[in-house]
């Protein structure tokens, strides 16, 4: 193998190491953003960047959270009533905004199928819950739901950490490359 062929091979290997490191970092960043989004559910969120603060839930929404299917007040509802005297929204985490069944939180996931193209998606894949999640994220005039963004602000809040994740992924792969590990 000529020196020129060795150089081309080394450059190709470096490119592959950088690409793999960036993908590893992007994967880590997706997990980070997913965790932040899940943590937002259940607590009123302030505005972040261009995304508005969450509006207080309507009384009927708070009441519905604390009633059984038969219309009986569940134990947490009795505690809420004892604390606040009615099902009027408290504006606190006791209202549990975007948490009814915890299904949305459980189903937020990452999709890394396009990682090689530099994309990682964070969202909800299950259709019915995804529709609910989108209505909450963007609002729905038809269903009288104000926007309560939880995914997009999670990206904004983690912007510096995302860059760091990618940088660290590349640095790790280049470190391995320098040790003959790639």
């Amino acid at each position: 193998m000529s020196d020129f062929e060795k150089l081309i091979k080394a450059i190709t290997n470096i490119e592959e190491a950088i690409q793999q490191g960036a993908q590893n970092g992007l994967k880590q960043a997706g997990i980070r953003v997913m965790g932040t989004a899940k943590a937002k559910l259940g607590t009123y969120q302030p505005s972040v960047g261009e995304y508005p603060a969450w509006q207080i839930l309507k009384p009927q929404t708070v009441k519905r959270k604390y009633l059984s299917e038969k219309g009986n007040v569940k134990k947490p509802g009795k505690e809420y009533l004892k604390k606040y005297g009615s099902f009027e929204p408290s504006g606190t985490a006791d209202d549990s905004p975007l948490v009814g069944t915890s299904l949305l939180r459980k189903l937020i996931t990452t999709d890394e199928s396009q990682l090689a193209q530099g994309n990682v998606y964070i969202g909800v894949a299950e259709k019915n819950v995804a529709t609910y999640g989108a209505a909450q994220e963007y609002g729905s005039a038809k269903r009288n739901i104000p926007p309560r963004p939880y995914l997009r602000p999670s990206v904004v809040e983690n912007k510096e950490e995302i860059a760091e994740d990618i940088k660290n992924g590349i640095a790790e792969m280049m470190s391995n490359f320098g040790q003959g590990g790639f």
Side-chain angles (χ1 to χ4, degrees):
M1 181 181 292
S2 72
D3 287 344
F4 182 72
E5 290 171 325
K6 288 178 185 176
L7 176 63
I8 296 298
K9 185 176 180 180
I11 290 171
T12 301
N13 287 343
I14 290 171
E15 288 175 8
E16 290 173 5
I18 291 171
Q19 179 71 20
Q20 184 62 54
Q23 289 176 12
N24 292 347
L26 190 57
K27 185 176 180 178
Q28 181 61 41
I31 292 167
R32 177 185 305 282
V33 171
M34 177 183 66
T36 300
K38 288 182 176 193
K40 289 183 170 301
L41 306 181
T43 306
Y44 289 103
Q45 297 297 306
S47 64
V48 174
E50 66 184 86
Y51 305 108
W54 290 8
Q55 291 184 16
I56 303 293
L57 297 177
K58 295 178 179 75
Q60 63 267 28
T61 303
V62 173
K63 185 176 182 179
R64 189 177 27 211
K65 289 176 176 285
Y66 292 114
L67 296 180
S68 69
E69 290 180 16
K70 295 180 180 180
N72 299 321
V73 179
K74 298 185 266 184
K75 183 178 179 182
K78 290 177 183 176
E79 293 168 9
Y80 190 94
L81 285 172
K82 184 177 180 181
K83 188 171 182 179
Y84 298 106
S86 73
F87 285 119
E88 282 296 314
S90 67
T92 70
D94 290 341
D95 295 349
S96 302
L98 296 192
V99 179
T101 64
S102 295
L103 195 55
L104 180 59
R105 182 179 283 137
K106 289 177 191 170
L107 293 176
I108 295 174
T109 188
T110 59
D111 175 357
E112 299 160 2
S113 62
Q114 293 187 13
L115 204 53
Q117 290 81 26
N119 299 315
V120 63
Y121 297 97
I122 298 100
V124 180
E126 201 282 328
K127 186 178 179 183
N128 291 334
V129 178
T131 300
Y132 168 81
Q136 298 300 329
E137 176 79 17
Y138 297 100
S140 171
K142 180 180 174 183
R143 295 169 57 195
N144 198 22
I145 298 172
R148 291 189 180 92
Y150 55 97
L151 290 170
R152 296 169 296 158
S154 297
V155 173
V156 172
E157 289 173 1
N158 284 290
K159 193 166 133 182
E160 291 173 12
E161 289 86 354
I162 291 168
E164 197 67 24
D165 287 337
I166 294 169
K167 183 177 91 174
N168 289 341
I170 293 170
E172 183 178 332
M173 288 305 293
M174 292 308 295
S175 169
N176 291 342
F177 179 81
Q179 297 170 5
F182 190 78

